[in-house]
Amino acid sequence: MADEQFVVVGSQYCAPHETVLVMKEKMFSLREKAEIRDTEGQLIFKTEDKAFDIKERKTIYNPQDEPVCSMASKILSISNTTYLYPGTDMNADSALLTAKQVVLSWSPILNVFLKGNTSSSPDIVLKGSFLQYDFNIATSSGRVLAEVSRKLSTKEFLDTQTYYVRIKPNVDMALVIGLVSMADNIFVNTED
């Protein structure tokens, strides 16, 4: 029996089969950019943010350069908090989800609360080694949505960061790329 769709950004971003996306982020530029392609090389998404933007805003675009979703971090927060919005609408009421770093934990955890969740229990949990890009994205009930790993070579270290994102069938790929970007901003970029 196939899992039902897990949609937050849009059902058009769900594939009926497992999908591996390759995310290459250009480093050392004034505007950090990433291309997300499938294993056949087809462009699926692009991301762009300003390297020195105090609010750490990032937008995910489709291949036609139309905004799919955007994220922004909460400034001066005890725990790192980031919001995901549809398109470029960053109105507080339009947030699709809120991601919060678990501060008092032996291992890094990112809890994700979908719009409308007013409880202290997250809907999605990201766990693993974020600095090594080896982590899982799962629902709080245990359904694995995606797995992230990293390949590093000397050339990639000097020019790009490359992540491999294995997305399970019927899972919103735009959501997963947004969550991977949030984890990168919270756990990796703040370690510098």
Side-chain angles (χ1 to χ4, degrees):
M1 181 176 145
D3 289 321
E4 63 182 69
Q5 283 191 339
F6 192 92
V7 179
V8 174
V9 178
S11 60
Q12 68 271 33
Y13 304 114
C14 293
H17 50 80
E18 185 172 88
T19 306
V20 176
L21 298 180
V22 181
M23 184 172 178
K24 289 192 175 196
E25 184 175 73
K26 293 273 186 195
M27 298 170 58
F28 310 119
S29 65
L30 291 179
R31 295 180 74 83
E32 292 184 14
K33 297 180 180 183
E35 289 186 344
I36 298 93
R37 296 180 179 274
D38 63 16
T39 54
E40 303 297 316
Q42 179 180 348
L43 183 64
I44 306 297
F45 298 109
K46 298 184 259 185
T47 68
E48 185 173 314
D49 66 339
K50 295 178 184 173
F52 302 107
D53 184 6
I54 193 165
K55 292 185 180 179
E56 293 187 17
R57 290 183 239 186
K58 181 177 280 191
T59 302
I60 298 173
Y61 297 92
N62 66 18
Q64 293 77 35
D65 287 323
E66 299 164 336
V68 172
C69 56
S70 300
M71 59 203 79
S73 297
K74 186 175 184 180
I75 306 302
L76 302 174
S77 172
I78 293 172
S79 67
N80 285 320
T81 303
T82 305
Y83 302 91
L84 185 72
Y85 302 94
T88 56
D89 178 9
M90 291 198 191
N91 180 320
D93 294 335
S94 68
L96 299 170
L97 61 83
T98 304
K100 295 181 179 184
Q101 177 184 5
V102 177
V103 179
L104 300 174
S105 174
W106 290 106
S107 62
I109 298 172
L110 187 63
N111 283 338
V112 179
F113 301 85
L114 299 178
K115 184 176 190 167
N117 180 351
T118 56
S119 77
S120 60
S121 298
D123 299 291
I124 301 169
V125 178
L126 285 71
K127 280 186 185 178
S129 175
F130 296 98
L131 291 176
Q132 299 298 318
Y133 288 92
D134 185 17
F135 61 93
N136 288 335
I137 302 171
T139 64
S140 56
S141 64
R143 176 181 173 190
V144 176
L145 303 176
E147 301 162 338
V148 179
S149 63
R150 181 174 185 186
K151 178 181 177 188
L152 180 64
S153 71
T154 305
K155 181 182 184 301
E156 288 170 341
F157 178 74
L158 294 175
D159 187 38
T160 62
Q161 293 181 35
T162 302
Y163 325 135
Y164 295 88
V165 185
R166 182 177 304 277
I167 303 172
K168 301 299 182 182
N170 298 315
V171 173
D172 185 336
M173 292 186 281
L175 165 68
V176 171
I177 295 302
L179 293 174
V180 171
S181 295
M182 288 176 170
D184 181 63
N185 284 346
I186 291 171
F187 293 107
V188 178
N189 291 341
T190 58
E191 297 292 324
D192 297 337

